[in-house]
Amino acid sequence: MTSPSFAWWQTGVIYQIYPRSFYDANGDGIGDLQGIIDRLDYLVTLGVDAIWISPIYPSPMADFGYDVADYCDIHPIFGDLATFDCLLAEAHHRGIRVILDFVPNHTSDRHPWFQESRASRDSARRDWYIWRDAKPDGSAPNNWVSMFGGPAWTWDEATGQYYLHLFLKEQPDLNWRNPAVQSAMLEVLRFWLDRGVDGFRMDVVGFIMKDEQMRDNPYLPGADLQSLDRWAQQEHRHDIDQPEAHDMIRTFRQLIDSYPDRVVIGEIWAEPRSRWADYYGQDLSELNLPFNFALMSQPWQASAIRASVAELEASIPPGAWPNYVLGSHDKPRLASRFGPQAVRLAAMLLLTLRGTPTLYNGEELGMANGDVPPDRMQDPQGLNIGPDKSRDPYRTPFQWSAAPYAGFSRVEPWLPVADGHEAVNAEAQNQDSRSVLNLYRQLIALRRRTPALNGGSYTPILTELEHSFVYLREAEGQRYLVALNFSGEAQTIGASDLGETGQVLLTTNLESPHDVTLAAINLGANEGVIIMI
């Protein structure tokens, strides 16, 4: 049951699929679109409302699909457009929306646009990318650096200029100040909207505009200038998050809003929080959901999580809708970041806060980071900056069963399967009524049928508690108390102001529903409860 005043992307749950690692249907060791089709019924039983699929376009795979060589086709390792259309139809038939990853900041250096751009200074597409002359001493135009290590400028010997790339040199940045680029990329969005996709997650969309004067970035006080992670040394004042990006995002939104029931999500890293909130736009005219990654960087403590939620609620403009992300293909898995004891509490936190939750594939099983030896490392961030920066461990194959290669593939996968898949897998957890997977299923089902949880108000209470995060969710006469114990020791909390008794509907340990005295709510170590009052 959901309120008719809310859009599907407000009350629903979004599930991120990293396609290379989800399910290999054709036996080449790499996940594919047919693999997603084959596992749609699993997603139905999980209860998610939409899938966001990381890039599936033709690509040399220098950055595993985020270096796009053709925005309007499918990479053969994933399938083809006919397979994609089948996926779209099969997902829609099951009531699941499909969100594509749109990569606007840069293309592959193999993209025909860049090939033409670098062919000559007189090329019609020269100004589609950002080219600049060297300084008099031959050095790069400014001090900007690549997020993946090294300078953000690469010298092109043939045409005698540098081109800009905030990521790999194989990912040249588009010149979004060129109206022709804007028009071409809007046509890309139309191509997929006309096919029936339900929206876009826009990769680093706040990066698309650069300082017109190309001024140097200042260095952060105390920056370690010997570190290979040069991105962390600078304040990114001029290379990203420019005011003109908002104008372009409003144009994206206008186009996408011309198609009914679509959503626009953006990967936004702007700081402070007020600058992040600006991406909702004046009159909420920009992103429906600027991804909120703040919880991913917090210590696993009640006070820190409570403060982060309070900051979000205070920052978003009136009428804007919050959202939360706890895991992704770019960050360590929850079981490895906070410890396996935190996995169940994280599930209840994500699925009971006010706003749209995004769930990364495998977190519903409590998957841990994989162990990827140096000779198997593939992530360019790890190869360029250091093994500790590699994202490969968070991208290991989905663990479907205890079979060889975790049931992901019939052959050796592109990345090694994480240890422990014999116990932590979907097949085993499906048969265990108290598994992490079944906790996610019950949480999502409760959230779906409860207006207070999918669209209601949020009120923190008992904010003086050191170890427990407690809040109310209310709507349409419903009142639910959520109490989360972040410590490894049992806690007793009192909420007698709310009444004498309540009914525990769901606990992270999946205990049977039972009545509770609100003056003395007992929480086990790392336990969360949802109480109807």
Side-chain angles (χ1 to χ4, degrees), residues 51-74:
I51 53 176
W52 149 37
I53 306 174
S54 294
I56 49 176
Y57 314 106
S59 166
M61 295 292 170
D63 188 22
F64 295 103
Y66 285 95
D67 49 320
V68 178
D70 184 345
Y71 284 102
C72 297
D73 205 348
I74 302 295

Side-chain angles (χ1 to χ4, degrees), residues 6 45 55 66 99 149 156 218 241 405 408 417 448 496 502:
F6 290 102
T45 66
Y66 285 95
I99 299 167
D156 182 64
D241 194 29
Y405 309 126
F408 163 77
V417 174
R448 181 189 290 269
S496 56

Side-chain angles (χ1 to χ4, degrees), residues 110-121:
R110 310 268 187 92
H111 195 294
W113 296 346
F114 188 70
Q115 294 288 304
E116 186 175 340
S117 180
R118 79 185 310 177
S120 165
R121 288 200 186 195

Side-chain angles (χ1 to χ4, degrees), residues 332-363:
R333 287 194 173 275
L334 290 168
S336 297
R337 196 185 329 153
F338 300 129
Q341 78 286 348
V343 166
R344 290 173 178 266
L345 197 71
M348 187 169 282
L349 173 71
L350 180 67
L351 291 163
T352 60
L353 285 171
R354 185 177 86 96
T356 304
T358 297
L359 171 63
Y360 177 46
N361 63 211
E363 297 292 8

Side-chain angles (χ1 to χ4, degrees), residues 116-133:
E116 186 175 340
S117 180
R118 79 185 310 177
S120 165
R121 288 200 186 195
D122 298 323
S123 166
R125 285 201 168 96
R126 184 67 170 184
D127 195 39
W128 282 44
Y129 295 83
I130 299 173
W131 295 91
R132 292 292 184 274
D133 291 330

